[in-house]
Amino acid sequence: MRDNTLIIVLPCFNEEEVLPITIARMSDLLEKMIARNKVSDDSRLLFVDDGSKDKTWGIIEAAQNNKPFVCGQKLARNAGHHNALMAGMKTAVNAGADMVITIDADLQDDINVIPEMVDQYTEGVDIVYGVRRERNTDTWFKKSTAQMFYRMIKLMGVTLVYNHADFRLMSSSVVKELLLYHERNLFLRGIVPCISDNSAFVYYNRIERQAGESKYPLRKMIHLASDGVTSFTIKPIKALIGLGAVFIIISLCILVYVLYNYFRGHVVGGWSSLMLSMWFIGGCIMVGLGIVGEYIGKIYMEVKDRPRYNVEKTLLK
């Protein structure tokens, strides 16, 4: 029988509207799991305030005083969703957690599958992924871009769990291995599957947000997709080499065409086509430099080796 102290890590950023609902629902769930001996009575909820500007931290502090399972951690400034997860997971394993579940504070992921996750852990599984059955709650645009992202990332050779975000259970041994990854450009959805193949899946239907607004606008989703590609593969740079070879072949064909017309005495026109070609090739060069620059920028961020986050305050029971 594996030890069963559970700490659920919930990153929060400006979640004052939904947080009271989340605290009540999660406390009720954890209380029922303890009563059924699924988890130990040392289990906790750890809310990580990722530099919120609203009353999020005040709500966490008040709940910590009034609720038996609620703990909190406040980051000094907004460090990003994945860094907040890492901060919470580190605190959880240092506090003696045998297993850690990460879930967003908006509770769009179905908390009712958490007991099933714990059952899988009890049976010996180290990672349990929460996977969406479908994406009916998404807009057409979000659904289409998500599918495009998964196809692209698979083409790049990156291993991902389809329709899985950051709702997962990990054993303490997996979390400790994960904490050894010190890279600044975190893409947990790609890193976690690299740690262990001893995994399982639980499936659920995602629900609508009960309050507040999404903290993942298009800009952040694009940034996440960029991190996913550039953190795990250099195929975009290799593609530039192939693109350069294609341009050389095209230029040789054009050279043959120009020489053919020159020796036949034909006047070579085409000022427009020349200008279009220059702009096209110039644009490709700029795109190529941008891709290379993205990798160089990541190297720059890594070699500085600055802390990924700064903890201002931690409230543990």
Side-chain angles (χ1 to χ4, degrees), residues 20-47:
I21 302 171
T22 300
I23 291 171
R25 289 186 61 197
M26 293 302 299
S27 296
D28 182 60
L29 174 71
L30 194 57
E31 186 174 5
K32 289 178 180 177
M33 291 174 67
I34 291 172
R36 295 170 186 166
N37 292 320
K38 279 188 175 293
V39 297
S40 77
D41 54 9
D42 291 327
S43 299
R44 295 290 180 266
L45 305 171
L46 177 58
F47 292 87

Side-chain angles (χ1 to χ4, degrees), residues 237-253:
I237 293 180
K238 290 184 177 180
L240 289 178
I241 299 172
L243 189 62
V246 170
F247 283 142
I248 291 172
I249 293 171
I250 293 173
S251 65
L252 290 174
C253 293

